[in-house]
Amino acid sequence: AQHVAGAYTFDLACSADGRTLASCHADGSVRVWASETLLDLGVYRGHAGPVLRAQASEAGGWWTVGADRTLRGFARELPQRAPLLPTLPGTPLRAVLARTRDELYVATLGGAVGAVDLGQRTLRWSRATGRPRCHGIVLADERRLWVASGERLLALDAENGEVLATHEPSPGRQLHDVRLHPGGTELLLAAEDRSLVRCDAATGAVLAKVAAPPGTTGDVYQLEVHGGGDLATVCGPGFGAACVELATG
């Protein structure tokens, strides 16, 4: 496991080529790591407060959001301090990201989900989920968004935010994160009981549960799938970051 002294980890994100990870920290930094070795490659700065989520950009850099209510874009080159995208007025306090070519989908700790038009830099639609928190969001296909909100996994229409389906994959347990398997057919969720839950990306049905990774001493709050889908890097307040082998299919 890797630890960053004095910097609580809020999120992990994987690059499109699977070679690097970005970790988001309470000290306003975004650190970049080699995904297979967890070698520290460098750091981005720019947020005025904790960085809560990251998403790889098509240009090889990263989109990030923070408690300073800003959405920022960083280039691939390190070190990089100045954001490429100006602050977006009205960006939710805690946002999580899923990307298409011209939009970012964002969600908040207040339970709202919205679509940000990157060209116009405006919020195209927003939807209240009725749940107290949104901790993760992925785009499974051109139409369907999956959102981890409270103890529920919600399917939303990506065009207008309409709720298409609701599931409770780990009854009575909060969901801390959701990610799409590289194959596109499965979701991987981090649940409050420290399990990783595999679900069908088309229906939301539970396929299997994976036991908590060896060496973890607390909940898994964030995860990222990489290595062609064979590995997941997980992080939490009790253990920093660790790699886990997945058995999917």
Side-chain angles (χ1 to χ4, degrees):
Q2 292 282 349
H3 301 269
V4 179
Y8 185 101
T9 303
F10 284 98
D11 187 37
L12 287 170
C14 188
S15 63
D17 61 12
R19 295 181 179 179
T20 56
L21 299 167
S23 59
C24 303
H25 300 284
D27 64 358
S29 67
V30 179
R31 291 185 174 270
V32 181
W33 313 82
S35 60
E36 293 189 2
T37 64
L38 295 184
L39 177 68
D40 190 344
L41 300 178
V43 62
Y44 296 112
R45 299 190 186 276
H47 282 281
V51 187
L52 302 177
R53 208 71 164 187
Q55 169 73 36
S57 72
E58 291 185 339
W62 304 91
W63 296 106
T64 62
V65 288
D68 57 1
R69 303 179 67 89
T70 64
L71 170 63
R72 297 170 183 260
F74 292 96
R76 167 177 276 178
E77 293 77 15
L78 284 164
Q80 171 69 238
R81 300 184 66 91
L84 301 180
L85 187 73
T87 299
L88 293 179
T91 298
L93 177 62
R94 170 157 183 153
V96 294
L97 311 174
R99 172 181 53 81
T100 63
R101 285 184 297 178
D102 55 359
E103 285 189 325
L104 292 174
Y105 296 96
V106 297
T108 76
L109 275 178
V113 179
V116 175
D117 185 308
L118 291 176
Q120 299 296 321
R121 299 182 180 179
T122 59
L123 191 65
R124 189 169 66 81
W125 58 257
S126 63
R127 173 79 61 175
T129 66
R131 310 307 300 168
R133 287 178 173 84
C134 289
H135 283 303
I137 182 170
V138 297
L139 187 66
D141 51 47
E142 292 184 358
R143 184 189 175 203
R144 191 181 301 264
L145 289 168
W146 287 106
V147 181
S149 184
E151 70 279 7
R152 295 183 181 178
L153 178 65
L154 306 177
L156 303 184
D157 190 316
E159 181 61 30
N160 55 29
E162 177 185 354
V163 178
L164 303 174
T166 302
H167 303 275
E168 197 168 338
S170 189
R173 303 289 187 178
Q174 294 284 317
L175 301 176
H176 293 310
D177 199 8
V178 57
R179 300 292 167 137
L180 184 67
H181 187 274
T185 61
E186 292 188 14
L187 305 171
L188 190 65
L189 298 97
E192 190 177 25
D193 60 2
R194 296 174 57 218
S195 67
L196 303 180
V197 185
R198 290 169 47 200
C199 295
D200 188 289
T203 66
V206 174
L207 300 175
K209 286 194 175 184
V210 181
T216 59
T217 56
D219 286 358
V220 174
Y221 276 90
Q222 309 293 346
L223 60 93
E224 184 62 67
V225 184
H226 56 95
D230 297 327
L231 298 172
T233 298
V234 298
C235 66
F239 60 92
C243 285
V244 183
E245 291 188 4
L246 298 174
T248 59

